[in-house]
Amino acid sequence: MDIVELHNRSVGAFAQLVQSVRNEQWSAPTPCAEWDVRALVNHVVGEERWTVPLMAGRTIADVGTAFDGDLLGDDPARTALIAAADAQLAAGTDVRTVHLSYGDESTDEYLRQLVADHLIHTWDLAAAVGADRSLDAELVAEVTLWFAERAELYRSAGMVGDPLPSSADPADALLAAFGRDPSWSPALDLVNRFGAAFDRCDLDAVLALVTPGCVFESTSPAPDGQRFEGADAVRAEWRKLFENTVEPRFETEETIVAGDRAVVRWHYSWRAETGGRGHVRGVDVMRLRDGKIAEKLSYVKG
């Protein structure tokens, strides 16, 4: 397929998706752990802004810091449409070589890099805002062939994460090659961040991920445990757990998310007085609300 057509389709798909982002979603997490939705869109708009001078034969030094910082302004959706249209127009110019940060590159290769970035970030954005995650099958096929020869180079440069287990589905297999979990969702991300904070015994980080009126049901005393309601009561109980346990470890074995509910199977261990490690295995049944954990009901094997 013509590379300019590939580029323009990928750019157009991303720009159209940006139009569906609701006001409250700009700060939502994305599969790119370091970026929220606004930062992700800003990154892609930045690439499109760069496309125009680079396709005109200018160098990185020529442009300097013109595209640093926030590029979205007060109307990110409109800004994304304008940047996309400018990049699509620039892609059709008669330039054979572009001057990139690592040296001169063929226009064909540069545009293929942009196609890949737009395609993967289209999925990132769709996953983050709950939109249709389906990817253009022709773009998936083209990027899959292109990336197969460059995957190790990208990973060694730290530009993509380690590959995840592949899939028979072409789009999911491509996402896995780019280090993306096709099952990622904001809810799954929330539960994973909560588990990581709990494992670090980072009480402030844990409490930042629960609602003010959160409910926690502990596993003891048997058989029914104890119920704590409200962030202050939950904080006090978890503080005791962290402070009174020697070398605690909280390891997630499996997470299942369905709508506003999550089930986490976990392994909790500590250094015992004998010098070995004691442990229990159990599950948390969670209820999620407004991007936070509203209920954590814990059960253990007994």
Side-chain angles (χ1 to χ4, degrees):
M1 188 182 298
D2 177 72
I3 184 56
V4 175
E5 180 184 348
L6 285 173
H7 171 270
N8 289 354
R9 279 169 61 175
S10 68
V11 169
F14 185 87
Q16 286 303 312
L17 181 58
V18 174
Q19 308 312 300
S20 70
V21 179
R22 301 190 303 272
N23 288 338
E24 70 273 16
Q25 292 180 316
W26 288 103
S27 60
T30 74
C32 303
E34 69 276 19
W35 290 337
D36 62 12
V37 167
R38 186 179 178 96
L40 173 66
V41 174
N42 191 69
H43 163 76
V44 175
V45 167
E47 288 199 327
E48 292 162 0
R49 291 282 182 85
W50 271 103
T51 301
V52 175
L54 291 176
M55 290 296 293
R58 298 179 67 189
T59 67
I60 301 294
D62 291 336
V63 178
T65 61
F67 303 135
D68 289 358
D70 179 70
L71 302 172
L72 302 183
D74 297 331
D75 193 347
R78 182 172 181 274
T79 299
L81 281 178
I82 294 172
D86 290 345
Q88 289 171 322
L89 183 62
T93 58
D94 187 19
V95 173
R96 295 187 177 182
T97 302
V98 291
H99 310 295
L100 303 182
S101 58
Y102 60 81
D104 288 353
E105 184 60 88
S106 71
T107 298
D108 184 272
E109 174 64 19
Y110 172 55
L111 292 179
R112 288 185 182 278
Q113 293 173 9
L114 294 176
V115 171
D117 207 57
H118 279 80
L119 182 67
I120 298 301
H121 287 324
T122 294
W123 182 87
D124 290 336
L125 182 57
V129 302
D132 181 5
R133 305 185 188 203
S134 301
L135 296 177
D136 184 314
E138 290 183 311
L139 293 181
V140 168
E142 292 281 352
V143 173
T144 297
L145 289 173
W146 171 84
F147 189 62
E149 298 180 358
R150 296 159 178 80
E152 290 308 316
L153 176 63
Y154 270 58
R155 292 187 190 112
S156 64
M159 298 173 68
V160 299
D162 292 333
L164 299 179
S166 190
S167 167
D169 178 81
D172 285 354
L174 179 62
L175 292 167
F178 272 84
R180 301 299 199 273
D181 178 358
S183 67
W184 187 97
S185 70
L188 179 60
D189 179 68
L190 167 64
V191 174
N192 287 342
R193 286 186 288 124
F194 179 84
F198 219 88
D199 182 43
R200 299 193 308 270
C201 298
D202 187 339
L203 190 58
D204 288 337
V206 168
L207 269 294
L209 298 174
V210 304
T211 63
C214 64
V215 172
F216 167 57
E217 287 189 0
S218 67
T219 60
S220 63
D224 296 321
Q226 191 172 357
R227 185 178 177 89
F228 303 87
E229 298 187 16
D232 289 342
V234 172
R235 174 187 285 273
E237 184 63 16
W238 287 344
R239 183 186 297 278
K240 287 192 297 184
L241 174 66
F242 294 158
E243 291 180 349
N244 297 336
T245 308
V246 181
E247 297 179 9
R249 286 296 314 277
F250 181 89
E251 300 170 89
T252 298
E253 296 182 329
E254 183 180 19
T255 300
I256 301 171
V257 175
D260 67 345
R261 305 304 296 266
V263 176
V264 180
R265 190 162 55 86
W266 46 258
H267 179 280
Y268 187 71
S269 66
W270 60 89
R271 182 161 62 83
E273 294 182 359
T274 59
R277 292 193 68 81
H279 79 274
V280 294
R281 295 178 66 237
V283 298
D284 281 342
V285 179
M286 296 180 173
R287 189 183 300 275
L288 315 177
R289 184 185 306 127
D290 299 328
K292 293 193 174 184
I293 293 169
E295 194 173 70
K296 178 182 185 292
L297 312 181
S298 297
Y299 303 85
V300 297
K301 285 182 174 291

